[in-house]
Amino acid sequence: MQILITGAAGFLGSALANELARQGHSVRGLDDLSTGDPSALSPDVHFIRGDINDRPKLWTLLQGVDCVYHLAARVLVAESVLYPFEYDKVNTGGTVSLMEALRDVGVRRVVFISSGAIYGNQDTQPVSENAIPKPRSPYAVSKLAAEYYIRTIGALWGIETVCLRVFNAYGPGQHLPPAHAPVIPQFLRQAAQNGTLVIHGDGNQTRDFVYVDDVVKAMIAAGNAPDVNNAIINIGSGHETSMRELVRLVREVTNGDPEIVYNPHSDGGPARLCADITLAKKKLGYQPEISLETGLRLTLELDPRLKAR
Ligand code: NAD
């Protein structure tokens, strides 16, 4: 297949691009490098630097493409609180720009990487795709709005669409900004260097952490599966882990002795979040294989930035 991946130089995009190229597909990758790193890509991936809102570039890149994976986005929840306009422009506007170009060129299928963040606080866990979304941040709103645009424009113009609501993905190569870094690489690095782990809230909040290789398998299945048009599908591990339990595992795998600091006044996000993955199993044959402990060990082993000093 001829495939285009947007956000290809990012954490999930590069893992997907490299695996698809390894399987023998012809892969083009677009990224504006606002956070991505093209050196993460194998030489078999054809990389092009560009913005998701650059329509002429999209028209050129889409020629002959069968399937598009749309991952280009701004991804930091806390940053989105400060810069909602930017998140709307890239995540929602960029999606509309891409869908117009797909319509113009005539692409068969688009797989959109949405987020479990759109659910917000839900009483029933694990949360299924039927739950009414309660987004709590501009990031979550931008991903939910993008889902609606993808499915509406897709249905109007006969483009097959699949939206994957990925929960907390982690693994080697995850973007590690100086502020608002994702919790797993941040904790691993701090623990390996005997630094400080700051837990927002009381540490009893839960999340569903899913290893990058399992997410890549789900994304590839979504590009090929029959009977998925217009579907919204959760992708997680199906396991609920509290921040306190995560800290215990991080100490164990790093053999570190970090200081643990609770910040009870800061917002720890939704109280509980765990994916019901029944639909992913049924529609995509999805079966997550990497436990959190194994995934943490792999991340530590494969990511040189997280080594002890
Ligand atoms: P990432 O920041 O590593 O990847 C996003 C990529 O998009 C970056 O390489 C960035 O340079 C690129 N990008 C940003 N703005 C762009 C623009 N205007 N034009 C072109 N490229 C642009 O983040 P990630 O964790 O790999 O996330 C990839 C996708 O998966 C995102 O859509 C994100 O919302 C979604 N997602 C991620 C997770 C997770 O836990 N990592 C969970 C749910 C959903």
Side-chain angles (χ1 to χ4, degrees):
M1 285 213 297
Q2 292 262 17
I3 292 162
L4 174 70
I5 301 174
T6 73
F11 162 52
L12 293 178
S14 59
L16 173 67
N18 292 343
E19 178 56 20
L20 285 167
R22 197 191 62 76
Q23 293 182 5
H25 298 286
S26 165
V27 184
R28 297 170 198 167
L30 174 76
D31 200 297
D32 74 344
L33 302 184
S34 49
T35 62
D37 175 4
S39 71
L41 290 167
S42 102
D44 297 328
V45 176
H46 180 58
F47 176 71
I48 304 97
R49 181 174 186 173
D51 192 294
I52 192 68
N53 280 304
D54 182 345
R55 225 92 55 74
K57 188 164 273 183
L58 288 175
W59 288 325
T60 309
L61 282 178
L62 285 167
Q63 298 301 322
V65 163
D66 305 296
C67 179
V68 172
Y69 288 95
H70 179 36
L71 289 87
R74 305 294 299 253
V75 304
L76 303 176
V77 169
E79 188 186 62
S80 78
V81 174
L82 299 173
Y83 305 108
F85 179 78
E86 178 68 12
Y87 273 68
D88 180 66
K89 189 177 78 178
V90 176
N91 296 6
T92 311
T95 299
V96 178
S97 151
L98 178 70
M99 289 306 287
E100 272 198 32
L102 255 65
R103 173 203 64 190
D104 295 344
V105 177
V107 172
R108 182 177 55 84
R109 181 176 292 192
V110 57
V111 178
F112 174 58
I113 309 308
S114 181
S115 171
I118 64 118
Y119 289 115
N121 269 315
Q122 299 282 340
D123 292 338
T124 308
Q125 299 288 339
V127 64
S128 87
E129 294 83 353
N130 299 326
I132 295 171
K134 296 180 189 163
R136 294 167 47 109
S137 66
Y139 168 73
V141 171
S142 72
K143 298 301 281 191
L144 184 59
E147 278 188 6
Y148 278 111
Y149 272 119
I150 293 253
R151 298 174 76 220
T152 304
I153 298 172
L156 285 169
W157 294 95
I159 305 162
E160 295 174 9
T161 66
V162 188
C163 294
L164 300 182
R165 289 180 177 161
V166 175
F167 282 60
N168 285 63
Y170 71 98
Q174 189 163 14
H175 182 47
L176 241 178
H180 313 307
V183 63
I184 287 194
Q186 167 80 349
F187 276 13
L188 285 174
R189 184 171 61 178
Q190 287 295 330
Q193 299 176 357
N194 289 331
T196 305
L197 309 189
V198 179
I199 299 180
H200 300 292
D202 63 7
N204 290 319
Q205 69 273 37
T206 63
R207 293 293 178 270
D208 181 327
F209 297 106
V210 57
Y211 190 65
V212 56
D213 291 4
D214 285 326
V215 179
V216 166
K217 280 188 196 147
M219 290 192 282
I220 293 177
N224 297 313
D227 190 27
V228 285
N229 185 23
N230 210 26
I232 292 175
I233 304 174
N234 285 343
I235 302 298
S237 68
H239 292 287
E240 194 173 358
T241 304
S242 72
M243 288 300 146
R244 288 173 187 260
E245 171 65 2
L246 177 65
V247 167
R248 190 189 68 73
L249 285 169
V250 163
R251 290 175 86 138
E252 197 173 299
V253 303
T254 55
N255 269 327
D257 188 19
E259 184 189 4
I260 315 290
V261 174
Y262 286 88
N263 187 350
H265 302 299
S266 74
D267 181 9
R272 295 177 66 196
L273 207 47
C274 182
D276 179 338
I277 54 173
T278 311
L279 192 64
K281 288 181 177 171
K282 187 170 152 217
K283 294 259 183 203
L284 305 177
Y286 172 70
Q287 190 58 59
E289 283 167 9
I290 311 284
S291 71
L292 181 55
E293 183 177 341
T294 305
L296 291 173
R297 288 190 195 282
L298 285 169
T299 306
L300 199 60
E301 187 186 314
L302 298 173
D303 194 328
R305 300 169 306 170
L306 308 178
K307 296 276 182 283
R309 279 202 202 108

